[in-house]
Amino acid sequence: MANTSTPKKPTAKKTVVAQNNGQAEKKQTGSSRIKVQKTYKIFINGQFPRTESGRYYPLTLSDGSIVNLCLSSRKDIRNAVVAAREAQEKWAARAGLNKSQILYRLAEMLETRSSQFIEELQLMGATKEAAINETETAIDRLIYYAGWCDKFNAIFSSVNPVSSSHFNFSSNEPTGVVTIVAAEESGLLGLISVMAPVIAGGNTCVVLASESKALSAVTLAEVIATSDIPAGVVNILTGTRKELLAHMANHMDVNAIYLHSNKAEEIKEVETLSALNVKRARIEFVSNWFEPKEENPYRIQDFIEVKTTWHPIGI
Amino acid sequence: MGNHNVSYQPSISPPIDQISVEERCARFQSRSIKGETKVAGLKLALSMIDLTTLEGKDSEGKVKQLCYKAMHPHDAMPGIPTVAAVCVYPTMVRTARKALKGSNIKVAAVATAFPSGLAPLKVKLDDTKFAVEEGADEIDMVISRGRFLQGDFNLVFDEIAAVKEACGKAHLKVILETGELSTLDNVRKASDIAIFAGADFIKTSTGKIQPAATMPVTLVMLEAIRDYYYETGKMIGMKPAGGIATSKLALHYLVMVRETLGEAWMNPDWFRFGASKLANDILMQLAKDQTGVYQSLNYFSND
C-alpha cells in the first residue's frame, strides 16, 4: 500500500534501536509493519471457499511480490455448477428491468473500487494508462449490457407470418447454466465483456478466470458478493485450462460453454465434449476487446434459446 | 410383542452431552470415501432407501410411477440394486402393493393420523389396522409429541404398545419427530420409550417439520439402540428421514451407523433412509463413476 512508507512512531523505533543493535539497521530502511498478505479465494454460491483440492499456484507480480491463487479442481466446478443451477430459474424469472438495475448497481460498485482494479492491472503488467483504460471500458461495458436486459427480448423476438390460422410468435429464453473460459490476455475487460451479456440474458455462469491475470477476477468476485447479484448467478474459479477445460465442457448439467481460444487442441476438445449433451459451444478469439464491435446485443443472443408458439385462432 | 411389559422409567435414559455429540458427528463427516468403497457405499445406500411420497396431492398415478422408479431406478445402468421400500399414505397402500407385485420391495404406510398424531387412540388404531389390512409390510407411526413434552411418558408408551399390537405381523417404525423435541435429552428419552414399548425401528422425522433428520439426532438414537442391544441382545432398526438429499451425506450416515452399531446393521433390514431426492443423487454419482462425466437431473426420471 502506498500510505505506509513513513514510520508513525519514531520514538518507539528508537527504543528498539537502543535495545537491539543487530536488527536496528534493517528496520530503519522502511516501516516496521509487516504487510498483511491477502488470501485469494474462489467464489462459489456467493461465498469465498478455498479450492476443495487445497492446492494453489503462485503468480509473480510486477513489483516482485508473489501471490498464491487457488488451483481449482473439477470438484470446485461441480460445486459451482450446482450453485449456478440452483440460482438459474430464479434469476431468469426476475423482470428484465430488475436485472438491469442489478447490473447497473454492479457497475456503480466497480466504479467506486476502480482504483483497486487499476492498481491490480498494473501489478499484472499493464501500464497505468492501459490499466485505467481497461477498467473504465469494463465499467462502461457493464452499463451497456445493463441497458439491454429489458430490451433484447423485444428485438430478438418476433411475430411470424404463417399460412394457417395460427398466431405464431417466437420469444427468447435463457440457455441455462453457462461455463465461461475467459480470455487469458484480458483479465478484466475480457471477462466482463462475456460475463455481462450471459447474465443479462438470464443465464447463470461458472467462470474460469485468466490464469496469468487472475487478480481482477478475484476482486470482481468480491465486488459481486457485495452487489445485489444473487448468490450462484456468477461463480468465479481460478486455475488452469489444461486441467479444467474438459470438465467445463463435458458436464451434463451445463447448457452452454463459452471458450476464448485460438488453440486448435482446446477448440477441438471443447467441441468434441460439448456434443455429449449437445451443449451450445461459442468459441471465439478476440484480439482487441476495446473495439466498439465487441459491445453488441448479439452477445446476449449467443446464449438465448428461441421458443416458438403456435396459437390457434379463429376456431 | 412389547419389548418390555413395563412402563418407561425416565431414569434409564442417560443425559446427553450435546457438545461431544456434535464433535463426534463432525468427525464422521471428515472421512474421505473414494473409489470402490464409494461405489459400494452408494449402492448400499440406494438399497436402504424408503422411496417416499407423502403429499396431500398424491394420486394413484403418482404412486404407480414411484413404484416403477423403486423397481427400476435407472435401467440404463445395469447392476444397481432396487430400493428397500415405498412409503405412502394408507389409502395408497393397495395401489402400491399391486404395482410392486413380483418384487421384494416392501410397502410402508404412515399411520396414526400422520403427521401430527393428534387423533384419539381409537382412530389411530383403526388407521393402523386399515393400512395393515390393505397390505402394508411396515407401519410408520408418529408419537404424541405434545403429551411427551408435557411429561406424559406413560401415555406415549401405552400408545406405541397399542399400535404395535394393532400392527400384527407388520413391522412398526416409530417416528419421534425430533424437530419438535427441542433437546437431545428428549430425543434419547423418546427413543428409549419407543424401543421399550415395542418399536422395531425408530425414525427421526415425518419430513414435514424442519429440522428433519440431522446427524446429532441420529447419533443419539443410534446410541439408544446400541445401549438397548448391549442390555438385551435385541436389535432395533434405525431410519433417519427428511433432509438427506446428497450422496455424500448418506455416506457419512453409513459411516456413523458402522462406527456406532457395527456391521450387523449395515443392511436394509436394520437401517433405512427416508428420502425422495436422495435416490436420484445417488444414481447421478454412480453414473459419474461409470462415465467420468458429471450428470444432470434432466436425464434421470423425476418421481
Side-chain angles (χ1 to χ4, degrees):
Chain A
M1 299 288 283
N3 59 355
T4 55
S5 52
T6 48
K8 291 247 165 70
K9 286 182 181 170
T11 44
K13 272 201 95 156
K14 269 178 194 159
T15 326
V16 173
V17 173
Q19 281 175 353
N20 189 341
N21 289 319
Q23 290 181 357
E25 277 181 330
K26 271 185 203 166
K27 288 202 171 181
Q28 267 173 346
T29 56
S31 165
S32 64
R33 186 174 173 275
I34 298 167
K35 199 181 163 195
V36 177
Q37 297 287 345
K38 180 169 167 182
T39 310
Y40 289 86
K41 298 194 191 174
I42 53 179
F43 183 54
I44 298 175
N45 204 20
Q47 293 179 317
F48 291 93
R50 287 180 172 82
T51 165
E52 177 274 343
S53 66
R55 303 169 307 167
Y56 61 88
Y57 70 94
L59 189 67
T60 308
L61 304 179
S62 62
D63 66 354
S65 62
I66 297 172
V67 295
N68 288 325
L69 288 146
C70 286
L71 187 57
S72 303
S73 67
R74 62 189 163 90
K75 292 213 173 152
D76 296 313
I77 292 182
R78 175 195 181 274
N79 294 341
V81 171
V82 169
R85 173 57 64 202
E86 184 90 15
Q88 200 269 323
E89 223 167 280
K90 277 190 185 164
W91 174 244
R94 281 175 187 260
L97 172 65
N98 187 225
K99 286 195 273 265
S100 263
Q101 291 168 322
I102 290 173
L103 286 195
Y104 191 91
R105 168 82 182 150
L106 178 62
E108 286 177 5
M109 313 266 298
L110 281 177
E111 181 82 27
T112 58
R113 297 274 289 264
S114 56
S115 58
Q116 187 183 351
F117 283 98
I118 292 167
E119 192 184 325
E120 283 175 352
L121 285 169
Q122 286 175 273
L123 284 172
M124 293 185 296
T127 62
K128 186 165 188 189
E129 196 187 353
I132 292 171
N133 191 16
E134 177 163 355
T135 305
E136 287 176 351
T137 312
I139 296 168
D140 292 349
R141 197 148 287 180
L142 202 52
I143 301 266
Y144 173 84
Y145 286 110
W148 272 111
C149 291
D150 58 350
K151 299 173 188 70
F152 74 86
N153 195 44
I155 61 160
F156 293 141
S157 63
S158 59
V159 174
N160 314 311
V162 288
S163 59
S164 61
S165 53
H166 288 91
F167 175 46
N168 183 300
F169 56 98
S170 303
S171 68
N172 302 292
E173 291 184 357
T175 303
V177 174
V178 182
T179 46
I180 297 173
V181 185
E184 183 59 37
E185 304 77 12
S186 179
L188 180 62
L189 183 59
L191 200 168
I192 285 188
S193 300
V194 177
M195 182 201 84
V198 163
I199 60 175
N203 304 286
T204 54
C205 61
V206 177
V207 179
L208 175 60
S210 161
E211 188 184 338
S212 59
K213 295 190 173 15
L215 292 195
S216 306
V218 178
T219 306
L220 177 64
E222 288 163 7
V223 178
I224 291 172
T226 50
S227 77
D228 296 331
I229 292 186
V233 171
V234 178
N235 305 275
I236 299 179
L237 309 177
T238 54
T240 63
R241 285 186 177 203
K242 199 170 183 256
E243 181 184 351
L244 301 178
L245 195 57
H247 299 287
M248 297 186 86
N250 71 10
H251 198 307
M252 295 290 279
D253 209 22
V254 171
N255 306 103
I257 180 168
Y258 171 91
L259 170 67
H260 186 270
S261 176
N262 57 359
K263 295 197 178 79
E265 68 272 26
E266 285 181 355
I267 294 168
K268 187 183 170 195
E269 184 175 26
V270 164
E271 282 181 339
T272 311
L273 293 174
S274 299
L276 209 58
N277 66 339
V278 208
K279 221 180 253 89
R280 189 174 285 279
R282 170 86 164 86
I283 299 167
E284 69 172 351
F285 186 80
V286 176
S287 48
N288 182 7
W289 287 102
F290 291 93
E291 281 197 33
K293 74 175 170 70
E294 300 308 339
E295 191 174 82
N296 64 68
Y298 299 105
R299 285 193 173 273
I300 301 176
Q301 199 178 31
D302 285 342
F303 296 102
I304 55 180
E305 307 296 324
V306 177
K307 182 165 88 178
T308 297
T309 306
W310 294 66
H311 188 77
I313 47 172
I315 296 171
Chain B
M1 48 141 217
N3 288 340
H4 281 263
N5 212 1
V6 288
S7 288
Y8 161 76
Q9 301 296 325
S11 58
I12 68 154
S13 298
I16 303 297
D17 177 356
Q18 188 175 344
I19 301 292
S20 66
V21 166
E22 282 166 4
E23 283 282 309
R24 183 95 181 96
C25 289
R27 251 176 280 168
F28 294 130
Q29 291 185 286
S30 67
R31 305 286 194 281
S32 175
I33 301 159
K34 307 272 185 217
E36 273 172 58
T37 323
K38 183 178 172 186
V39 173
L42 290 175
K43 285 185 179 172
L44 181 61
L46 183 63
S47 75
M48 288 171 162
I49 289 178
D50 282 7
L51 214 51
T52 304
T53 180
L54 296 171
E55 303 288 329
K57 63 181 181 187
D58 281 353
S59 62
E60 289 195 2
K62 170 86 196 279
V63 171
K64 280 182 197 163
Q65 208 179 339
L66 194 77
C67 291
Y68 188 84
K69 173 86 172 176
M71 291 189 287
H72 306 271
H74 193 59
D75 284 345
M77 225 172 3
I80 52 169
T82 61
V83 302
V86 165
C87 185
V88 292
Y89 274 114
T91 48
M92 294 294 167
V93 168
R94 189 181 289 263
T95 310
R97 180 90 271 166
K98 212 171 134 193
L100 291 170
K101 215 171 183 179
S103 72
N104 294 325
I105 299 164
K106 303 267 198 301
V107 178
V110 292
T112 71
F114 181 92
S116 71
L118 290 175
L121 182 61
K122 184 175 178 306
V123 174
K124 293 185 182 182
L125 294 178
D126 287 347
D127 197 14
T128 309
K129 283 176 194 155
F130 172 77
V132 175
E133 278 162 20
E134 290 286 290
D137 304 298
E138 301 170 356
I139 298 295
D140 290 21
M141 74 166 285
V142 287
I143 64 167
S144 302
R145 283 89 73 188
R147 301 304 289 267
F148 175 87
L149 292 171
Q150 285 166 31
D152 209 345
F153 301 139
N154 288 340
L155 179 131
V156 175
F157 184 99
D158 292 344
E159 270 191 351
I160 298 170
V163 173
K164 173 68 190 168
E165 208 175 307
C167 281
K169 279 185 184 170
H171 273 230
L172 176 65
K173 300 195 201 110
V174 179
I175 303 172
L176 309 182
E177 193 62 300
T178 52
E180 291 185 336
L181 297 185
S182 311
T183 66
L184 291 180
D185 281 327
N186 280 344
V187 171
R188 174 67 195 231
K189 270 186 202 146
S191 306
D192 288 337
I193 292 172
I195 292 171
F196 275 73
D200 297 304
F201 259 75
I202 50 176
K203 173 175 168 184
T204 58
S205 334
T206 58
K208 305 288 182 199
I209 299 280
Q210 288 304 322
T214 63
M215 288 193 88
V217 152
T218 309
L219 180 60
V220 169
M221 293 169 74
L222 290 172
E223 283 174 348
I225 293 171
R226 182 193 61 195
D227 292 348
Y228 184 74
Y229 176 73
Y230 282 157
E231 207 172 300
T232 66
K234 274 191 67 181
M235 288 169 74
I236 305 290
M238 173 72 205
K239 176 177 172 184
I244 305 167
T246 66
S247 305
K248 200 172 184 182
L249 189 55
L251 288 174
H252 288 145
Y253 270 83
L254 290 182
V255 169
M256 179 159 67
V257 177
R258 175 67 184 80
E259 293 185 13
T260 311
L261 295 178
E263 195 69 39
W265 269 265
M266 300 294 281
N267 60 67
D269 290 340
W270 298 106
F271 190 77
R272 298 277 181 82
F273 290 107
S276 39
K277 286 182 192 154
L278 178 61
N280 269 346
D281 195 68
I282 291 178
L283 293 171
M284 290 209 296
Q285 299 306 317
L286 288 171
K288 157 75 176 65
D289 187 74
Q290 282 190 1
T291 59
V293 173
Y294 286 118
Q295 299 296 309
S296 163
L297 268 180
N298 287 340
Y299 304 96
F300 293 82
S301 61
N302 177 23
D303 301 304

